[in-house]
């Protein structure tokens, strides 16, 4: 009757895990005699918040990456940054020679003045509507040309579009940059290419570029919360799913996986792009679930029982159960929060992991992380 979640990528978490043990002490201590048998303990029935999670593996990446390039062609006269520099949005990165661009702007200004003067003269002379329409079109065109020329002068100075750290500088003083044109060939038309000059990545603001197993992707959606463990960072990092990919990829083992992006919450000064990360994405959360240790359950003629401690006496009590969550099972009736139940001991084969000496104490769960041999990481055997 006990249920167990299957699959390597899913897990049920109990938050928080509260253990009250009659034996006292900071953990659950079980004594074992020379026969390998452990003594029973008692545990208080409590309500828990249950979380079902999906695991995602990936890499930390900067939230924003900007490849800054000149929008105009020219010869670089100054590079104002080097790799590793931190820059603010709008900071000057590099400059190209603007003499030709300034000359084009001045010519555009003169053309606009001439077009406006011609329109005024023709209006004063009572020119035809056709002529006036042509003059007005010339003025509009001249204004557009001047606006482009002014923007080109501004674009001679390359500025940072984001704040962050300069990770790559691909230009130097004297280099030619901007849009270059390739002559057409037999099979292609004329093409233009733009040289990427400087790359900037955001600092302190990160995402996790991860993948999840194909069987789990249907449970994911934008906005789900996640806990992230990153290499080299001791503290738990929190994040939110911002994107779930629709096209499957193939991982190193040949299995189908789907890309997932997780936005890391807040600024992280001790996090670095490129390190490995594992995220536990919460896909289901159930509050106030009354649970007992699964090992406290027994069955007889299709009914489920626990041994309840009442005024120091042990009373066999029939209960009804729901889902199994890891090493705990939901109780739907028969127990109340605060009841104490007996958790039976278990027997290890003597001499299986030590010399079998009597009286040895072993810390079993909180802190020690050891599991009875009949349990795996996902819960009790069926």
């Amino acid at each position: 009757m006990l249920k167990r979640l299957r699959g390597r990528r899913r897990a049920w978490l109990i938050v928080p895990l509260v253990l009250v043990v009659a034996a006292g002490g900071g953990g659950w201590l079980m004594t074992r005699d020379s026969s390998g048998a452990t003594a029973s303990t008692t545990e208080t029935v409590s309500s828990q918040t249950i979380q079902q999670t999906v695991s995602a593996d990936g890499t930390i990446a900067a939230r924003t990456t900007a490849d800054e390039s000149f929008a105009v062609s020219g010869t670089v006269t100054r590079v104002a940054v080097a790799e590793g520099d931190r820059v603010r949005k709008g900071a000057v990165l590099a400059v190209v020679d603007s003499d030709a661009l300034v000359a084009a702007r001045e010519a555009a200004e003169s053309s606009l003045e001439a077009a406006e003067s011609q329109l005024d003269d023709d209006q004063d002379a009572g020119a035809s509507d056709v002529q006036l329409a042509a003059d007005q079109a010339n003025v509009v065109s001249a204004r557009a040309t001047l606006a482009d020329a002014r923007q080109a002068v501004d674009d001679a100075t390359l500025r940072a579009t984001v704040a962050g750290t300069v990770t790559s500088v691909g230009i130097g003083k004297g280099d030619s940059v901007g849009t270059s044109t390739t002559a057409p060939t037999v099979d292609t038309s004329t093409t233009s290419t733009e040289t990427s000059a400087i790359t900037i990545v955001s600092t302190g603001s990160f995402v996790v570029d991860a993948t999840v197993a194909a069987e789990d992707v249907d449970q994911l959606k934008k906005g789900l919360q996640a806990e992230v463990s990153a290499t080299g960072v001791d503290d738990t990092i929190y994040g939110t799913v911002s994107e779930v990919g629709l096209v499957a990829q193939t991982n190193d083992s040949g299995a189908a996986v789907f890309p997932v992006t997780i936005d890391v919450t807040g600024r992280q000064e001790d996090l670095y792009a490129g390190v490995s990360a594992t995220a536990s994405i919460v896909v289901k959360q159930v509050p106030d679930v009354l649970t007992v240790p699964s090992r406290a359950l027994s069955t007889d003629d299709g009914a489920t029982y626990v041994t309840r401690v009442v005024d120091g006496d042990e009373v066999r009590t029939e209960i009804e159960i729901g889902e199994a969550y890891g090493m705990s099972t939901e109780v739907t009736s028969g127990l109340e929060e605060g009841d104490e139940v007996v958790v039976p001991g278990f027997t290890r084969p003597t001499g299986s992991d030590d010399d079998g000496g009597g009286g040895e104490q072993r810390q079993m769960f909180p802190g020690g992380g050891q599991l009875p041999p009949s349990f795996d990481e996902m819960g009790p055997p069926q």
Side-chain angles (χ1 to χ4, degrees):
M1 296 182 64
L2 299 183
K3 304 176 183 177
R4 182 175 62 173
L5 290 175
R6 296 184 181 275
R8 183 179 61 85
R9 309 292 293 182
R10 296 186 183 88
W12 281 98
L13 303 178
I14 299 179
V15 184
L17 179 60
V18 180
L19 297 177
V20 181
V21 183
W28 183 351
L29 299 180
M30 288 183 152
T31 59
R32 187 181 66 184
D33 58 26
S34 59
S35 67
T38 58
S40 298
T41 61
T42 61
E43 185 170 334
T44 302
V45 178
S46 61
S47 294
Q48 314 286 353
T49 295
I50 305 297
Q51 292 181 343
Q52 183 186 2
T53 63
V54 167
S55 180
D57 297 325
T59 304
I60 300 294
R63 185 187 299 270
T64 304
T65 300
D67 293 322
E68 311 287 16
S69 303
F70 281 100
V72 295
S73 300
T75 302
V76 177
T77 58
R78 181 166 71 98
V79 177
V81 295
E83 291 183 6
D85 287 352
R86 287 195 172 190
V87 295
R88 296 181 179 180
K89 183 177 180 179
V92 174
L93 304 176
V95 179
V96 297
D97 185 355
S98 61
D99 290 347
L101 301 174
V102 171
R105 182 190 62 189
E106 293 174 349
E109 291 172 346
S110 298
S111 296
L112 176 59
E113 291 175 0
E116 291 174 337
S117 179
Q118 184 64 50
L119 175 60
D120 292 340
D121 292 344
D122 288 344
Q123 287 174 333
D124 292 341
S128 66
D129 291 343
V130 173
Q131 182 60 50
L132 293 178
D135 291 343
Q136 289 171 343
N138 290 335
V139 170
V140 171
S141 177
R143 285 175 178 168
T145 300
L146 177 58
D148 290 342
R150 287 172 173 169
Q151 184 62 53
V153 173
D154 291 341
D155 290 342
T157 300
L158 183 63
R159 298 181 182 274
T161 58
V162 298
T165 300
V166 176
T167 59
S168 175
V169 177
I171 57 173
K173 184 176 180 179
D175 289 347
S176 295
V177 296
T179 303
S180 60
T181 301
T182 302
T185 64
V186 175
D187 298 321
T188 62
S189 59
T190 301
T191 59
S192 295
T193 59
E194 187 174 304
T195 304
S196 177
I198 296 172
T199 300
I200 302 172
V201 299
S202 57
T203 52
S205 181
F206 298 92
V207 299
V208 182
D209 290 331
T211 58
V212 298
E215 61 266 26
D216 294 333
V217 70
D218 288 342
Q219 302 180 70
L220 301 185
K221 62 182 180 180
K222 184 177 180 180
L224 291 178
Q225 301 301 302
E227 292 187 1
V228 180
S229 298
T231 301
V233 180
D234 294 332
D235 296 334
T236 299
I237 303 164
Y238 298 93
T240 304
V241 175
S242 60
E243 186 177 355
V244 180
L246 301 178
V247 180
Q249 303 173 353
T250 302
N251 64 12
D252 294 339
S253 302
V257 294
F258 283 80
V260 175
T261 302
I262 300 170
D263 287 341
V264 175
T265 302
R267 290 189 62 82
Q268 304 291 331
E269 301 300 335
D270 57 349
L271 201 58
Y272 300 94
V275 303
S276 299
T278 300
S280 294
I281 304 171
V282 180
V283 296
K284 184 178 181 180
Q285 182 164 293
V286 186
D288 301 326
V289 179
L290 193 67
T291 62
V292 294
S294 299
R295 290 202 310 113
L297 305 178
S298 61
T299 59
D300 187 6
D301 292 332
T304 302
Y305 298 88
V306 296
T307 300
R308 190 160 56 100
V309 179
V310 182
D311 297 329
D313 296 326
E314 295 186 356
V315 180
R316 192 183 192 208
T317 304
E318 183 176 350
I319 65 172
E320 294 183 2
I321 61 174
E323 281 200 73
Y325 304 110
M327 298 185 68
S328 296
T329 299
E330 178 185 13
V331 178
T332 58
S333 67
L335 290 176
E336 296 181 356
E337 188 167 8
D339 287 345
E340 282 194 359
V341 297
V342 175
V343 180
F346 62 93
T347 302
R348 291 180 182 270
T350 58
S352 60
D353 58 356
D354 54 40
D355 59 6
E360 180 184 355
Q361 291 186 325
R362 298 177 64 86
Q363 186 175 13
M364 294 308 301
F365 295 107
Q370 301 180 49
L371 300 178
S374 59
F375 285 70
D376 61 25
E377 64 178 348
M378 296 304 297
Q382 293 181 324

